[in-house]
Amino acid sequence: MAQHPSDEPPPPGPADAARAAPVPPSGSPDPVSERRTTPVELLWDLVFVFAVTEVTTLFAHDTSWARLGEAMIVLALVWWAWSAFVWAANAQEEESRTLRVCLLAGTVLIFIVGLAVPNAFGRTSLLFAVAYALVRFLHLGVYVDASRRGHAGMAAILGFAVTVAIGMVLLVVGALTHGWARAVLWLLALAIDYAGPAWLTRERLRGLQQVAVSHFAERYGAFVIICIGESIVAVGVVIAERPLTPGLVIAAALPVVTAVGMWWTYFDRTADRAQERLRVHEDPVLAAADAYSYMHLIIVAGIIIFAGGVKLVVHNSVSAPMPDAGRLAMCGGVALYLIGLAAFRLRILGEHSYGRLAVALALVVLFAAGGGLPAWAIGAGIAALVGALCAGEALMAASGEGASVRTASPGAERAG
C-alpha cells in the first residue's frame, strides 16, 4: 500500500540535529560545558583580596631584597591556591554542594592565611603553612568529587595530588625551621607543587577535564581586576592619613592613571580575544594551564610589586627623590606586568608584543636614570609611558579595523 505524502516523516529539524550531533571536543563552544561564576566564588575572591593586600604589607615596610623574595614566595603560594580552585570549580556543576561547602570552608582558611601573611616568615609561619595546606587538600577533595561525577580525569588528579602532598609536607616542615632553611624548603615546596601539572604530569593533564571557557577566562580576569584595585586602594589608604594639598593630589592620581592603563592593556582587546582563542584551541587544557595558571602569575606579581612601591612612595614627600626600593618596585612592577602580558599573548594568541616589551625596557631605563628625580616625576614618567602604549594600541586597532572594512567593501559591492 502506497504511503500518503502526509504520512511521510518530517525533515530533520534543529532539535534532531542537536540530538544526533556528537559531543564536541574540549574547548569547543558547547553551551552545556559553560557555566557562570557563582556568588560563593565571588565571596572566595573577596577573601583573597585581603590575602593579596597582606602580601604588599609584607614587603612595603621592609625594602630589603630578602623581604621582597619572601613576599614573592608567599604571593606564588596564595596565587596557586586560588588558581587551583578555579580549575576544580571549572570541572564542577554550578549548584554542586561539595564545591559550595569546600569554598566556604576554604574562605575561612584563606582568611587565616591572610592574617598570617605579614609574619609568614616569622612567628606565624606554622599557622600560615597549616592553614594553607588544608586549603590545598580541600581543592583535591573538590577534584575527586568532580571525577566521581565524570567531569574530571582521575589519572591526572592522582598524578598532581602526589606533588601537592609532597609540597605541603615540605611547607609545614619548613615552618618548623628558621632562617634560610625555611626559605629553601618553601622554595622547594613551591617548585614541586608548580612542577606537578607543568612537567611531571603534563601529558596526563590533557585528559584532566573539559574547560568551561567563559567561566575560566572570567575568573582569571576578575583576579587581575582585584590586584589592580589593590594598587588603587594602596594609594587611597595612605593618602587618607595625610592633609591634602594640590601637589599631593596630583602625585596620588598618577599611580591611578597607571593602574587604569594596566587595566586597558589587558581588558581592551586581549582578554576577549584570548577567551575566543581558547574556545577553539586544539589543546585547550595545556594552553589554559600555561597562559592562565603560570603566565598570569607574572602579571599578578607585577601589579602587586607596583602596589607595594606605591605604598613606599606615598609615605614620603612626593617632591623629594624617590627611594631606590620604591622606584624599583613601581618601575619594575609595571615592567614585569607588561612582560607577563606579552608572554600571555604569545602563548594564547601567537602574537608578539613589541610595544609592551619596548615600554618595559623604557621603564627599566627610567629606574636606572631617575635616581635624582622627585617622586612625582617618576610617577608621571610611568603614567606617560603606559598611556602612550594604550594610545598606540588603540590607534593601531582602529587603523586595522578600518583596513578590514576597506578590504571587505569592494567584495561586497561586487557581490551586490
Side-chain angles (χ1 to χ4, degrees):
M1 181 176 174
Q3 189 179 33
H4 193 275
S6 61
D7 296 329
E8 292 180 0
D16 301 293
R19 284 193 295 268
V23 176
S26 177
S28 62
D30 173 20
V32 177
S33 71
E34 294 299 347
R35 54 172 302 242
R36 59 186 176 85
T37 300
T38 60
V40 70
E41 289 177 283
L42 295 176
L43 176 63
W44 168 259
D45 287 350
L46 290 175
V47 177
F48 266 93
V49 174
F50 171 66
V52 167
T53 301
E54 292 306 290
V55 171
T56 63
T57 302
L58 179 62
F59 75 92
H61 300 298
D62 186 340
T63 59
S64 67
W65 286 104
R67 179 53 61 90
L68 179 61
E70 292 172 356
M72 292 302 99
I73 291 174
V74 172
L75 176 61
L77 287 167
V78 171
W79 164 259
W80 203 238
W82 179 87
S83 182
F85 259 97
V86 170
W87 279 87
N90 194 260
Q92 283 278 6
E93 300 170 353
E94 287 184 31
E95 302 303 323
S96 168
R97 290 186 178 274
T98 300
L99 176 62
R100 181 178 299 181
V101 170
C102 288
L103 281 175
L104 290 174
T107 295
V108 177
L109 290 170
I110 283 297
F111 180 72
I112 295 172
V113 168
L115 290 175
V117 161
N119 294 291
F121 279 82
R123 63 180 183 274
T124 59
S125 60
L126 186 60
L127 177 65
F128 172 85
V130 171
Y132 180 85
L134 290 175
V135 171
R136 296 306 312 283
F137 288 127
L138 275 177
H139 150 253
L140 291 178
V142 175
Y143 248 142
V144 169
D145 180 71
S147 175
R148 184 177 62 83
R149 298 173 185 273
H151 301 316
M154 182 58 77
I157 295 168
L158 292 177
F160 61 71
V162 174
T163 58
V164 170
I166 295 172
M168 294 308 98
V169 169
L170 289 172
L171 193 71
V172 174
V173 171
L176 298 173
T177 63
H178 301 280
W180 64 266
R182 177 178 297 158
V184 170
L185 286 172
W186 282 16
L187 271 174
L188 186 59
L190 198 62
I192 292 173
D193 201 7
Y194 270 66
W199 176 50
L200 300 177
T201 61
R202 188 168 179 83
E203 290 305 314
R204 291 183 182 181
L205 200 64
R206 282 193 168 95
L208 176 61
Q209 67 194 71
Q210 186 180 34
V211 178
V213 175
S214 295
H215 171 265
F216 191 84
E218 177 187 353
R219 302 294 291 118
Y220 280 87
F223 201 87
V224 171
I225 291 177
I226 287 172
C227 295
I228 292 176
E230 162 57 21
S231 67
I232 295 175
V233 170
V235 178
V237 169
V238 179
I239 292 298
E241 301 173 354
R242 302 174 60 180
L244 289 180
T245 63
L248 184 60
V249 170
I250 294 173
L254 291 171
V256 178
V257 171
T258 300
V260 170
M262 289 193 288
W263 177 93
W264 182 276
T265 57
Y266 185 94
F267 289 100
D268 178 49
R269 293 177 60 83
T270 299
D272 288 341
R273 293 179 61 221
Q275 178 177 325
E276 293 308 312
R277 178 68 184 95
L278 183 61
R279 192 181 300 280
V280 298
H281 203 284
E282 64 277 3
D283 203 355
V285 175
L286 294 186
D290 294 341
Y292 287 92
S293 296
Y294 292 98
M295 293 175 184
H296 268 60
L297 173 61
I298 305 173
I299 293 172
V300 168
I303 299 170
I304 296 304
I305 292 172
F306 170 73
V310 170
K311 283 186 175 182
L312 287 171
V313 170
V314 296
H315 271 296
N316 303 311
S317 171
V318 295
S319 59
M322 184 180 291
D324 290 345
R327 193 172 74 256
L328 175 62
M330 289 187 67
C331 295
V334 179
L336 187 63
Y337 166 81
L338 293 173
I339 292 170
L341 191 56
F344 170 62
R345 285 169 55 88
L346 181 61
R347 178 62 178 93
I348 197 70
L349 297 174
E351 297 177 356
H352 294 281
S353 302
Y354 298 114
R356 288 172 172 81
L357 295 177
V359 172
L361 179 60
L363 287 165
V364 174
V365 172
L366 179 61
F367 160 72
L373 296 177
W376 68 264
I378 298 294
I382 296 171
L385 286 169
V386 175
L389 174 63
C390 295
E393 290 186 348
L395 289 173
M396 289 180 64
S399 63
E401 291 171 0
S404 299
V405 171
R406 288 192 296 272
T407 303
S409 295
E413 291 171 0
R414 286 194 297 271

